[in-house]
Amino acid sequence: MGLVMGTFSMQSNKQDRTYRKDKIDDDFEMSIVCHRPEGLDKLEAQSNFSKRELQVLYRGFKNECPSGVVNEDTFKQIYAQFFPHGDASSYAHYLFDAFDSAHSGSIKFEDFVMALSILLRGSVREKLMWTFNLYDINRDGYINKEEMTDIVRAIYDMMGKYTYPALKTDTPKQHVDAFFQKMDKNRDGVVTLDEFILSCQEDENIMRSLQLFENVI
Amino acid sequence: MAAGVATWMPFARAAAVGWLPLAQKTMPKPPVDKKSRSDEILFVNVSGLRFQTWKNTLDRYPDTLLGSSEKEFFYNEETQEYFFDRDPEMFRHILNFFRTGKLHYPRHECIQAFEEELAFYGIIPEIIGDCCMEEYRDRKKENQERLAEDTEAENAGDAPLPPDATLRERLWRAFENPHTSTMALVFYYVTGFFIAVSVIANVVETVPCRPIKGSIKDLPCGEKFSVAFSCLDTACVLIFSFEYLMRLYAAPSRCDFARSVMSVIDVVAILPFYIGLVMPENEEVSGAFVTLRVFRVFRIFKFSRHSQGLRILGCTLQACASELGFLLFSLTMAVIIFATVMFYAEKGTKGTTFSSIPASFWYTIVTMTTLGLLITAIHYQLLIQLLMSLYFHLQYLFMWGHVGLSDLLSCCVPQDGDGDSTPLCVKNRSAFEHQHHHLLHCLEKTTNHEFTDEVTYSEVCVTDSVGFRTSRSTSLSSQQGATTTCCSRRAKRRAFRLANSTVSVSRGSVQELDTLHVTKTPAGTQYPQSRSSLNARTENLKLNCDDYTAAIISIPTPPANTPDESLPNSPAIPGILRNSRSSTFNTQETVKISSL
C-alpha cells in the first residue's frame, strides 16, 4: 500500500515539471496566485523566439503583471489603451479567448509566448489557423455568419463613432457578406478551416500582409 | 498613454494578424526601425552615482528626457555613459518612476527642488501616485503661500523710496511700514495708545462709581464723569477719523483700500459717534443709538494693524472658514436637539425654567460648553491646524524680523492646484508612436474607414446629402515625420476638396481649436488630391508644427442645388464662417474666427 502511494506521488511530481505554486491566502477574501513560467530553455524550444527575446518579453510581462497571469479585465484595459477612439473591449474579449488556449480564464506567460510565437514567427498555415481559431468563437470548427458578424462588429467598434465616411448600421453586415462571398467556396453558409486557408492563400493581399509583423520584436 | 503600455506594443501589433483576412485594402508598410532591436543596459551617471537600467525601461515613456533622443545630448563617448550633473538622490525617484510606472514624492525633500528635477527630466507632476499626491499638494500649497508672502514682503519692502516720491507715496509708506521714519513710528504708537485708551474708557464707564453727593444709588462712572468721558471719546474719534482720512488720501488705490477689512473696521469704530451727532434727542431713537455704541468695541480690532499675531489668526481663521462653519452648524444642531429633549422632558413639571424650547437653549449651550467634551473633540483638529500655521507663520516672521507685512489677511492665496512645470516637448516622433500609428492605420485599412474627429464628423453628416466630391489620401500621413505627435491629432489632418464649394481647408495639428483660420487658396493652384500631410502643403497653407491653427471646413448648405448662392449660417455648426463665393479668388486671406 505504501509502495503504491509512493509511486503515485512520484508520478505526479514528474508530471508537474512546471513549478506552479498556488498560494491561497486565507486572510484575504481573494486568493493570491503567483505563477512562475517554465524554464527558459523549455520555452525557447517550444517557441520560435531566442532566449534574449524571451527575456525581453518576460521582463515586460512581469513588470506589468507581477503575479504572472493576466486576467481578462487587465487584458481588456491594456488593449483598450491602443485604441483610444473606440471601444476595444469586445475584440479584446475574443482575443483573450484565443490567447487563453487552455480556457483557464487567465493568460499565463507561456500562453502569451506561444501565441506571439505563432503570430510573429509562425508559418503562414499556422497564422491562418490561429486566425480561424479566433473567428470560430464557439470552437466548433466552423465559422458561421453570426460569429463573423460578432467579430466584425467588434472590430468596427474599435474605430469609434467618428469615422470618415460615417459608419452605417449595415456596414458590418456588408463586410461579412463580402467575406463569405470570398471564403465560403461551397456556399453552405459556413466556412471551414480548409476553405479558409485555401481562400486566404489565393488572395495576394492577405499573403503579403501576413509578413508584415515579423520584425515586431 | 499610460505606464508600461509600450511593453505591450508587440502584442497589440501581433494581434492585428486577426484583422488581415478581413481587410478590404492593402495594409500599409510597417515603420522601419533603424535602431537595433536587442535590449541593452544603459549606464547613467548622475553626479558620480552610477545607475544602470535597461534601455527598454527608459523607452517606456517616450515623452520624457530619458525616453527620447534628448538624452543623446548628455552622452559621453569616452565613458560610454549618460552624464547628468543633477542631484543623484532625486534621480533615484525619477528612475523608479520609469521602473514601476509610479512616481512617488519623497517627504524629506524640498518641493521646489523636486519640481525642478521633474521639469528637467520632462515628467509632469500630475502623475504622482495617489499614495503621495496629498502630501505633495499640501506641501505645494504651503510653499505657494510662503512665496506669496515673500513677494508681498518684497513689494512692501524696505527699499528706499525713489527721491521723487510724491507726498502720497511717502504717506502711504509711513502708514504701512511705521519703522521707516520716526514720525511714522510716533504716529503708530500714538494711535495704538489711543485705541487702548478708548477701549479702556468704554469698559470703565460702565463700572459703578461712588454716588455723587446727595444721592444714594450707585452710578456708573460714565454718568458721574460724563463730561470727561465724552471729551475722551471725542478726542479718540477725532484722532481715528483723522487717521482714516489720511490713509484714504494716501492709499494708492482708494477703492481697494475702502473695501479692505481694516478700513471697514475703522469706519465701524467711528461711525457711532457721528451717527450720535446727527441723531436728534429722541427718546425712541436714542435707545437704538445706545445699541450702536456697542460697536465701539470694534476698536479693539484696530489693534490688528499693530499686532501681526492677530492678523495671522485672522488669516488662519479665514483659511479654516469651512471647518468653522461646519463646527457652528453641528453645534447648532446639537443645541436644538438637546434643548428640545430637555423641554419635552420637563414639560409636565410645574415651575420649570424650561418654559419653551428657546429657553432651554441657554441651558444646553452652557452645559455643552461647560462639559467641553464635544467642543474639544471637534476643536482638536482645528486647534492643531491653527497652532501649526501660527507657528510656521511666526517662525517665518521671526526670521524676517522687522519686515512689515502689509495686510496679512490677503495672504490666504486661492487654491491653485495645477503644476507649473511643463513637459518638455519632444520634437521627434518615437518609434513607439510610429508603431502605434501603423497599427491604427492597419485598422483603418481593415474597415475601409478612417479615424476622424467630432467636428469633421458632424460636418460630414451635413454634407452627406449633398454628395460633394471629396478626395483624400492618407498614404503619406503615417510616414511623414514631425508635425503631429499624437494619434488623436492625426485625425485632424484632413483637407476636403469640395467640388463646387469655395473654401478648401485642412486641419493643422492643434491641441484645442482655440482659433480657427479660414484659408483661401490663390487662384490657379490646383489642389492635388489633398489629404496629404502638412509637410507637403506647408507653403500653401502656412501651417507648421508650432502654428496652432486649424482651418475649418466650411460646409454650406441646405440641400440647395446651386452652391454658388450665398448661404446662411447653419445653426447646427455655430461659429463657422460660411463663404461661398465663386471659385475664383485672387488673394490669400486668412480670416480669424472666434472659438466655438
Side-chain angles (χ1 to χ4, degrees):
Chain A
M1 186 63 167
L3 249 161
V4 173
M5 293 298 284
T7 359
F8 229 64
S9 58
M10 266 182 60
Q11 196 79 357
S12 59
N13 271 344
K14 263 208 173 141
Q15 281 169 1
D16 196 14
R17 288 301 291 269
T18 72
Y19 335 145
R20 196 192 159 99
K21 292 177 196 169
D22 291 348
K23 289 182 282 191
I24 300 174
D25 197 344
D26 284 328
D27 290 336
F28 299 96
E29 287 302 321
M30 41 184 193
S31 61
I32 300 171
V33 176
C34 179
H35 176 74
R36 298 209 169 84
E38 305 176 1
L40 193 54
D41 296 324
K42 196 162 174 194
L43 271 179
E44 189 192 8
Q46 287 175 349
S47 71
N48 301 329
F49 292 121
S50 70
K51 268 199 180 143
R52 286 211 77 165
E53 290 167 334
L54 284 172
Q55 283 179 339
V56 169
L57 275 174
Y58 187 67
R59 281 204 299 270
F61 187 85
K62 178 82 177 174
N63 205 54
E64 295 307 308
C65 312
S67 60
V69 292
V70 193
N71 60 11
E72 188 164 343
D73 288 328
T74 320
F75 191 86
K76 280 183 176 170
Q77 270 173 30
I78 291 169
Y79 200 65
Q81 295 188 24
F82 291 97
F83 303 97
H85 305 274
D87 175 26
S89 55
S90 353
Y91 188 68
H93 167 75
Y94 298 127
L95 264 184
F96 185 85
D97 285 340
F99 268 73
D100 183 17
S101 45
H103 304 289
S104 57
S106 62
I107 299 180
K108 305 187 292 291
F109 183 63
E110 294 96 326
D111 302 327
F112 187 65
V113 161
M114 294 318 297
L116 280 187
S117 169
I118 295 172
L119 289 170
L120 300 176
R121 302 284 165 90
S123 68
V124 165
R125 193 182 164 84
E126 283 175 349
K127 288 180 187 173
L128 290 174
M129 277 174 66
W130 190 92
T131 314
F132 183 87
N133 202 35
L134 171 71
Y135 294 161
D136 184 13
I137 300 174
N138 58 2
R139 306 279 185 277
D140 64 351
Y142 301 103
I143 304 177
N144 53 23
K145 275 209 169 158
E146 286 80 26
E147 289 172 334
M148 209 55 220
T149 313
D150 286 340
I151 299 274
V152 168
R153 201 168 278 139
I155 294 179
Y156 274 92
D157 282 344
M158 287 197 285
M159 291 292 295
K161 194 171 141 197
Y162 303 121
T163 60
Y164 179 81
L167 282 173
K168 301 191 180 49
T169 35
D170 63 343
T171 313
K173 185 176 176 307
Q174 284 177 1
H175 204 140
V176 171
D177 291 336
F179 178 80
F180 266 76
Q181 188 83 357
K182 193 163 70 168
M183 301 279 168
D184 190 9
K185 296 273 189 245
N186 58 0
R187 302 275 175 265
D188 60 354
V190 291
V191 179
T192 62
L193 179 62
D194 297 318
E195 284 178 339
F196 182 72
I197 293 180
L198 207 63
S199 316
C200 287
Q201 281 172 339
E202 287 169 2
D203 188 336
E204 268 183 37
N205 273 340
I206 297 180
M207 285 293 110
R208 215 173 335 160
S209 54
L210 279 174
Q211 317 302 325
L212 244 139
F213 297 108
E214 283 190 343
N215 296 321
V216 163
I217 301 224
Chain B
M1 283 217 178
V5 165
T7 325
W8 297 94
M9 179 54 93
F11 145 68
R13 297 180 76 201
V17 168
W19 308 333
L20 298 179
L22 284 165
Q24 296 177 335
K25 296 271 177 75
T26 33
M27 290 288 160
K29 284 205 199 59
V32 177
D33 193 20
K34 302 177 195 83
K35 292 179 271 192
S36 72
R37 276 265 157 223
S38 61
D39 204 4
E40 44 174 326
I41 292 191
L42 298 179
F43 299 96
V44 181
N45 185 339
V46 185
S47 300
L49 205 59
R50 229 160 158 254
F51 295 87
Q52 297 177 8
T53 181
W54 290 109
K55 186 167 179 305
N56 275 1
T57 311
L58 296 180
D59 286 343
R60 281 194 201 136
Y61 298 98
D63 279 341
T64 59
L65 185 155
L66 291 167
S68 66
S69 56
E70 196 182 343
K71 62 177 182 285
E72 302 304 325
F73 285 102
F74 299 93
Y75 189 68
N76 188 341
E77 295 287 347
E78 295 145 35
T79 50
Q80 299 271 304
E81 62 188 14
Y82 295 91
F83 181 76
F84 295 98
D85 197 10
R86 309 286 301 189
D87 187 356
E89 295 297 323
M90 293 287 202
F91 190 75
R92 255 189 55 239
H93 301 286
I94 308 282
L95 199 53
N96 274 341
F97 163 65
F98 281 91
R99 290 182 181 137
T100 61
K102 296 194 197 69
L103 182 62
H104 296 281
Y105 168 60
R107 282 173 169 75
H108 56 273
E109 297 285 355
C110 166
I111 191 153
Q112 195 85 335
F114 184 66
E115 288 195 332
E116 278 167 19
E117 291 298 310
L118 287 185
F120 178 80
Y121 291 107
I123 299 171
I124 44 173
E126 271 70 39
I127 48 174
I128 289 181
D130 288 334
C131 41
C132 296
M133 188 47 125
E134 203 172 314
E135 170 85 18
Y136 170 76
R137 283 228 169 100
D138 286 342
R139 291 279 290 263
K140 192 150 185 242
K141 197 170 75 166
E142 240 179 78
N143 199 44
Q144 273 178 340
E145 286 175 10
R146 215 166 288 189
L147 278 177
E149 284 172 20
D150 208 357
T151 44
E152 261 193 59
E154 273 172 33
N155 291 341
D158 282 345
L161 281 174
D164 58 347
T166 63
L167 176 66
R168 247 182 98 176
E169 285 171 9
R170 272 191 230 276
L171 211 53
W172 181 247
R173 193 86 194 298
F175 277 127
E176 293 301 302
N177 303 328
H179 56 272
T180 45
S181 79
T182 1
M183 267 306 297
L185 212 56
V186 163
F187 187 75
Y188 176 77
Y189 283 125
V190 161
T191 39
F193 172 71
F194 271 100
I195 296 174
V197 159
S198 161
V199 169
I200 292 172
N202 281 346
V203 169
V204 166
E205 68 183 9
T206 57
V207 173
C209 279
R210 267 181 303 193
I212 48 180
K213 288 196 174 61
S215 162
I216 339 161
K217 211 167 52 151
D218 265 350
L219 278 178
C221 288
E223 286 178 29
K224 189 168 173 192
F225 302 105
S226 59
V227 174
F229 275 108
S230 69
C231 281
L232 199 58
D233 198 32
T234 318
C236 292
V237 169
L238 278 175
I239 291 184
F240 297 150
S241 324
F242 173 70
E243 184 205 354
Y244 180 72
L245 289 171
M246 293 268 67
R247 277 183 198 261
L248 194 62
Y249 166 68
S253 163
R254 298 214 174 106
C255 285
D256 283 343
F257 174 74
R259 280 189 295 201
S260 72
V261 183
M262 289 312 301
S263 91
V264 166
I265 292 178
D266 287 341
V267 166
V268 167
I270 60 178
L271 217 48
F273 180 79
Y274 289 110
I275 294 181
L277 281 182
V278 301
M279 197 80 78
E281 284 299 329
N282 199 335
E283 275 303 315
E284 305 147 354
V285 187
S286 64
F289 167 66
V290 165
T291 330
L292 266 180
R293 297 181 96 203
V294 164
F295 283 98
R296 288 187 306 172
V297 79
F298 272 85
R299 288 176 196 169
I300 204 169
F301 286 112
K302 286 167 70 68
F303 265 129
S304 4
R305 275 219 184 87
H306 298 254
S307 158
Q308 279 148 3
L310 260 180
R311 282 189 282 180
I312 295 168
L313 192 66
C315 188
T316 328
L317 280 175
Q318 199 170 335
C320 304
S322 58
E323 279 100 331
L324 273 177
F326 170 72
L327 174 69
L328 235 61
F329 175 71
S330 56
L331 269 178
T332 318
M333 254 176 38
V335 162
I336 293 177
I337 291 173
F338 286 116
T340 317
V341 166
M342 286 310 304
F343 172 70
Y344 282 110
E346 295 272 317
K347 196 156 187 232
T349 332
K350 277 199 176 35
T352 173
T353 41
F354 302 130
S355 51
S356 66
I357 293 186
S360 330
F361 277 170
W362 177 242
Y363 167 80
T364 325
I365 293 174
V366 167
T367 317
M368 276 173 52
T369 46
T370 316
L371 282 178
L373 287 169
L374 203 64
I375 308 283
T376 339
I378 302 172
H379 269 167
Y380 179 74
Q381 205 184 7
L382 187 60
L383 260 171
I384 297 294
Q385 233 173 324
L386 268 172
L387 286 174
M388 291 279 287
S389 94
L390 247 178
Y391 171 70
F392 280 123
H393 280 97
L394 286 179
Q395 197 180 43
Y396 176 73
L397 280 174
F398 173 79
M399 287 196 298
W400 282 93
H402 56 281
V403 173
L405 300 169
S406 56
D407 200 348
L408 253 188
L409 284 169
S410 62
C411 83
C412 305
V413 292
Q415 305 259 0
D416 184 18
D418 36 59
D420 47 15
S421 59
T422 48
L424 298 168
C425 187
V426 178
K427 295 284 184 268
N428 302 317
R429 258 167 151 202
S430 65
F432 175 76
E433 281 175 2
H434 280 290
Q435 293 168 2
H436 190 218
H437 282 219
H438 178 247
L439 188 65
L440 291 176
H441 209 189
C442 288
L443 185 59
E444 284 185 341
K445 289 281 182 233
T446 309
T447 54
N448 203 16
H449 287 68
E450 285 167 17
F451 290 110
T452 177
D453 55 36
E454 194 168 345
V455 185
T456 327
Y457 178 74
S458 47
E459 289 157 357
V460 165
C461 284
V462 175
T463 50
D464 240 353
S465 53
V466 199
F468 280 103
R469 221 188 328 131
T470 65
S471 54
R472 48 193 213 284
S473 88
T474 53
S475 56
L476 299 171
S477 55
S478 71
Q479 294 180 3
Q480 295 291 349
T483 48
T484 60
T485 55
C486 175
C487 314
S488 58
R489 273 174 275 151
R490 167 181 180 271
K492 291 195 169 91
R493 283 187 274 122
R494 298 276 180 268
F496 273 46
R497 172 84 189 267
L498 302 171
N500 296 317
S501 162
T502 56
V503 179
S504 50
V505 290
S506 74
R507 236 163 245 292
S509 62
V510 296
Q511 282 279 13
E512 289 151 280
L513 295 172
D514 277 334
T515 60
L516 309 172
H517 284 235
V518 169
T519 332
K520 298 186 226 161
T521 62
T525 31
Q526 177 63 25
Y527 259 19
Q529 307 300 307
S530 54
R531 186 86 58 74
S532 57
S533 76
L534 298 174
N535 282 343
R537 316 294 316 286
T538 329
E539 53 295 347
N540 283 337
L541 302 170
K542 295 194 179 132
L543 291 161
N544 56 34
C545 202
D546 299 319
D547 191 1
Y548 285 171
T549 63
I552 2 146
I553 305 166
S554 106
I555 309 287
T557 92
N561 295 332
T562 53
D564 281 326
E565 298 163 1
S566 70
L567 302 158
N569 273 348
S570 152
I573 311 173
I576 298 181
L577 179 72
R578 305 248 177 280
N579 184 340
S580 61
R581 287 293 107 221
S582 69
S583 47
T584 57
F585 28 132
N586 299 317
T587 51
Q588 188 163 7
E589 308 165 31
T590 34
V591 178
K592 245 197 186 149
I593 300 161
S594 59
S595 61
L596 291 169

